[in-house]
């Protein structure tokens, strides 16, 4: 595999990552990643069940490969989290 720039990652690296919201609250873990023609989708395992979130510039804040932590900017209504 080719070396990546500091802000790049392979989709496979997201599997089993801890997922935080923009406030640092734990949302769950990445169960799987779907690579679709128009966008990638992360499937999250959350306390409220499985949730699908588009992995687009508006939702992706940061992925830390060392700590395996994905930070997303997701409207709460999308996840139904209280």
């Amino acid at each position: 595999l080719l070396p990546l720039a500091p802000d790049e990652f392979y989709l496979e690296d997201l599997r089993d990552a801890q997922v935080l919201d923009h406030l640092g609250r734990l949302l769950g873990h990445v169960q799987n990643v779907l690579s679709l023609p128009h966008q990638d989708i992360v499937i999250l395992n959350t306390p409220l069940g499985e949730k699908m979130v588009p992995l687009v510039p508006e939702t992706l804040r940061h992925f830390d490969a060392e700590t395996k932590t994905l930070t997303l900017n997701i409207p709460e209504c999308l996840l139904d989290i209280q």
Side-chain angles (χ1 to χ4, degrees):
L1 298 173
L2 297 173
L4 298 172
D7 62 340
E8 295 180 324
F9 55 88
Y10 293 107
L11 291 177
E12 182 61 30
D13 294 340
L14 297 177
R15 190 180 307 260
D16 298 323
Q18 174 177 272
V19 180
L20 306 175
D21 70 5
H22 67 285
L23 298 175
R25 297 178 295 190
L26 180 64
L27 299 176
H29 291 83
V30 176
Q31 181 178 331
N32 203 354
V33 181
L34 301 175
S35 187
L36 302 175
H38 298 291
Q39 66 190 9
D40 298 316
I41 303 284
V42 289
I43 301 174
L44 305 181
N45 188 3
T46 76
L48 298 174
E50 189 176 275
K51 305 292 180 180
M52 299 176 88
V53 178
L55 194 60
V56 294
E58 294 81 16
T59 60
L60 175 62
R61 289 191 58 140
H62 180 71
F63 176 63
D64 186 328
E66 287 187 28
T67 63
K68 203 150 173 116
T69 303
L70 177 64
T71 304
L72 298 175
N73 185 27
I74 306 172
E76 289 193 24
C77 61
L78 183 63
L79 293 176
D80 296 324
I81 292 178
Q82 300 176 0

